[in-house]
Amino acid sequence: LPASAKVLKAGTIHPDIRVPMRQIALHPTSGEPPVTVYDSSGPYTAEGAEIRIDAGLPRLRESWVLARGDVESYGGRIVRPEDNGFVSGDRLTPEFPVRSQPFKAKRGRAVTQLAYA
């Protein structure tokens, strides 16, 4: 994006978790510092990002999520016909090659943004 740079802001409680921001330079005649906004463009816009769709994204927050003690992993589920629009043969979308176990809330726990807020 022109006149901008992606920057990562370290968290206060969890400094290893960095929030993507974008610093946007204003016109020099404005006399104002750059404006910083949240950047939702994802990890592939980072300088030097290695794009390997078949490898998936690194699980950067996994240790932080597990440290809260309110989730557990489970096997997930296999791809079902309805996930592929009930097509068959060469029209099937292949299953993603990396199978990470998803997390779910432990009994009696709420793991939503609202609950953590």
Side-chain angles (χ1 to χ4, degrees):
L1 299 171
S4 72
K6 187 168 193 166
V7 294
L8 299 172
K9 182 170 174 49
T12 304
I13 298 172
H14 301 281
D16 55 318
I17 295 178
R18 300 176 305 155
V19 178
M21 307 293 275
R22 186 155 293 275
Q23 282 190 336
I24 304 168
L26 302 178
H27 193 275
T29 61
S30 72
E32 298 289 333
V35 175
T36 304
V37 297
Y38 178 69
D39 184 343
S40 61
S41 63
Y44 294 128
T45 60
E47 188 174 319
E50 180 183 348
I51 300 174
R52 292 213 28 232
I53 300 298
D54 61 325
L57 295 172
R59 295 174 66 103
L60 300 175
R61 293 171 174 81
E62 185 172 61
S63 62
W64 174 66
V65 169
L66 290 172
R68 295 186 309 219
D70 55 4
V71 298
E72 58 191 6
S73 63
Y74 67 103
R77 66 173 180 79
I78 61 169
V79 174
R80 298 188 292 222
E82 58 266 31
D83 298 328
N84 271 310
F86 294 102
V87 298
S88 60
D90 63 346
R91 299 196 59 207
L92 282 171
T93 300
E95 190 165 349
F96 192 69
V98 177
R99 277 192 68 106
S100 298
Q101 287 195 324
F103 297 118
K104 65 179 182 178
K106 289 182 177 177
R107 183 178 298 277
R109 301 301 300 261
V111 291
T112 64
Q113 287 182 334
L114 179 59
Y116 291 124

